[in-house]
Amino acid sequence: MMPQSRAEKTVRNLLTSAGIAIDGTEPWDMTVHDAHVYSRLLADGVLGLGETYMERGWDCQRVDELICRMLRAGLEEKVRASAKLILQVVRTKLINPQTITRSREVGRRHYDVGNDLYAHMLDDDMTYTCGYWKDAETLDQAQQDKLKLVCDKIGIERGMRVLDIGCGWGSFARYAAKRYGAQVVGITISKEQACLATERCRGLPVEIRFQDYREVDERFDRVVSLGMFEHVGPRNYRAYMQKTCACLDEGGMCMLHTIAANTTLQTMNPWIERYIFPKSKLPSLKQIMDAVEGCFIVEDCHNFGPDYDRTLMAWHHNITAAWDRLCDHYDDRFQRMWNFYLLSCAGAFRARDIQLWQIVLSKGGIPGGYRSIR
């Protein structure tokens, strides 16, 4: 047996503090195939963890549980930040990575990766946001319940004009038009989403546009933003709220549905930022409230972050079951990247490291008060 390096000893000790072993028998234990993994983990933290998994440097039966245990033990804070991550903080402070031009990169690199992938992974309506599992037993029902929850929370009624910022493949637009008789304008920065959403909403009072939210100059009764605010960026939070407010008629309401961090962060998870959601950033509740001040009345805040754990695991189950039909278009490295994305995010929600907020905002306040809907 080769003697352990200093890096290996350090990593083993850190993992032991989280109840994780190397070559152990628990499903969350790591099997390391390449000794360079240890130095990469110490140098680059979560970025090195994700990259060495993509490179088959290590394996684990339950990556979701591994990540959950790492986060609960605070291992991220115990691993020093590399120079690359420090530079990322500096770049974030010096430039606005979410200008209209730069913001479209996430459309090209993530949402345009292939409609076939998302069709196999998501529910029948292709809803790419957290499901609501209060009374649901299946992914399809959880997503339908979430869409109903959104419509009911902001009182969508027949004939209302609704703006859907970040409309995805049109699931909310279709639901609100078919079930509530709303007239919906959906905007997205993904060309692939815009094409398929247009097709899926054909025959309904729905218009899908390839457009940035900053380019909208119209008035609506309601505004909905489901899983899009994560791409806005701190430099634009205030401008986003001002634009949303300007798009609403007096007495209008807005639903903000977003993943959020527990604290105000300087950077995004570096692996997620590099491989999954470029130029994205999770807001904190404080940042959201600072941006809202003076634009809206906050009527309701609802956190159901643990439901995203269950949603992500359902997506992972679907994509794993469908991989034989996808492997001709996506290689092994992509599959491992996608697995790490879904499972590490599930682990983060399970550890309560990140949250899912639905925030109901009104322009001017609801006369007599707002009655929360759950």
Side-chain angles (χ1 to χ4, degrees):
M1 180 180 292
M2 294 286 291
Q4 292 181 6
S5 67
R6 180 177 297 177
E8 180 178 351
K9 288 179 180 177
T10 301
V11 170
R12 283 181 178 268
N13 288 337
L14 284 169
L15 293 177
T16 297
S17 71
I20 302 164
I22 301 294
D23 300 325
T25 58
E26 299 292 351
W28 52 81
D29 289 336
M30 293 177 67
T31 299
V32 175
H33 308 301
D34 184 343
H36 290 101
V37 167
Y38 301 113
S39 57
R40 289 280 299 281
L41 295 187
L42 293 180
D44 294 333
V46 70
L47 178 63
L49 183 71
E51 287 184 336
T52 53
Y53 180 79
M54 291 163 61
E55 296 159 5
R56 289 193 171 274
W58 61 272
D59 276 301
C60 176
Q61 293 179 45
R62 291 290 304 274
V63 173
D64 52 311
E65 269 298 303
L66 171 73
I67 297 298
C68 178
R69 288 167 181 268
M70 285 181 165
L71 290 172
R72 283 180 176 164
L75 295 196
E76 255 190 320
E77 289 73 33
K78 296 177 183 178
V79 177
R80 67 180 178 85
S82 71
K84 286 182 286 187
L85 303 188
I86 294 170
L87 285 173
Q88 185 183 354
V89 175
V90 174
R91 283 198 301 270
T92 300
K93 290 183 177 295
L94 293 178
I95 66 170
N96 180 2
Q98 293 91 8
T99 61
I100 292 178
T101 302
R102 292 182 180 130
S103 69
R104 287 191 163 94
E105 184 181 346
V106 72
R108 293 191 299 270
R109 287 180 51 190
H110 186 79
Y111 298 105
D112 290 349
V113 73
N115 286 336
D116 57 340
L117 178 79
Y118 292 107
H120 282 100
M121 183 177 85
L122 304 176
D123 62 300
D124 288 343
D125 274 345
M126 294 184 70
T127 309
Y128 195 23
T129 48
C130 180
Y132 188 49
W133 293 87
K134 179 184 175 185
D135 300 313
E137 294 297 330
T138 66
L139 178 62
D140 283 345
Q141 189 60 54
Q143 295 295 12
Q144 292 292 297
D145 288 353
K146 186 270 301 296
L147 296 176
K148 183 178 188 303
L149 185 70
V150 171
C151 291
D152 291 345
K153 279 186 174 184
I154 57 173
I156 290 181
E157 297 176 356
R158 179 169 298 279
M160 280 186 171
R161 196 155 185 261
V162 181
L163 174 64
D164 181 2
I165 302 177
C167 65
W169 292 274
S171 63
F172 171 81
R174 287 180 69 201
Y175 187 91
K178 289 172 70 174
R179 302 291 184 91
Y180 288 77
Q183 300 173 28
V184 186
V185 173
I187 62 172
T188 174
I189 55 172
S190 163
K191 290 183 178 179
E192 291 294 322
Q193 284 186 337
C195 288
L196 186 53
T198 297
E199 180 183 326
R200 290 170 66 87
C201 294
R202 187 166 285 116
L204 294 169
V206 173
E207 178 188 358
I208 303 295
R209 303 173 185 169
F210 178 64
Q211 188 177 34
D212 188 276
Y213 70 92
R214 286 162 283 201
E215 299 168 325
V216 179
D217 189 20
E218 300 161 58
R219 299 293 284 270
F220 298 85
D221 300 295
R222 300 288 187 267
V223 175
V224 170
S225 176
L226 307 181
M228 177 272 173
F229 197 69
E230 300 90 330
H231 304 306
V232 169
R235 285 174 174 259
N236 306 306
Y237 291 158
R238 181 64 176 172
Y240 176 92
M241 292 302 174
Q242 290 171 334
K243 168 58 75 172
T244 303
C245 186
C247 286
L248 270 176
D249 286 330
E250 290 302 319
M253 298 177 70
C254 172
M255 163 62 75
L256 182 68
H257 169 117
T258 183
I259 301 170
N262 290 328
T263 58
T264 299
L265 304 174
Q266 296 300 314
T267 62
M268 183 69 170
N269 173 309
W271 186 87
I272 292 288
E273 203 280 335
R274 178 174 292 186
Y275 292 99
I276 305 300
F277 295 117
K279 297 178 173 56
S280 298
K281 178 92 160 29
L282 295 186
S284 65
L285 194 58
K286 177 182 183 298
Q287 288 175 307
I288 295 171
M289 293 303 145
D290 285 347
V292 163
E293 189 171 319
C295 292
F296 293 108
I297 303 297
V298 179
E299 300 286 359
D300 188 53
C301 292
H302 181 191
N303 181 357
F304 54 98
D307 285 30
Y308 226 143
D309 176 9
R310 193 168 175 181
T311 303
L312 285 153
M313 294 306 293
W315 290 345
H316 180 258
H317 172 81
N318 287 348
I319 207 74
T320 301
W323 196 255
D324 287 347
R325 286 163 281 171
L326 294 167
C327 59
D328 289 342
H329 304 286
Y330 305 93
D331 61 17
D332 178 74
R333 180 181 171 86
F334 181 92
Q335 182 187 21
R336 290 181 71 85
M337 178 189 78
W338 208 255
N339 281 343
F340 191 79
Y341 155 49
L342 296 174
L343 294 173
S344 64
C345 288
F349 279 105
R350 194 174 308 158
R352 302 310 307 278
D353 186 64
I354 49 180
Q355 313 302 327
L356 188 285
W357 285 99
Q358 279 195 350
I359 303 172
V360 176
L361 307 169
S362 69
K363 188 170 180 177
I366 304 300
Y370 178 84
R371 181 174 294 178
S372 297
I373 297 172
R374 298 291 186 267

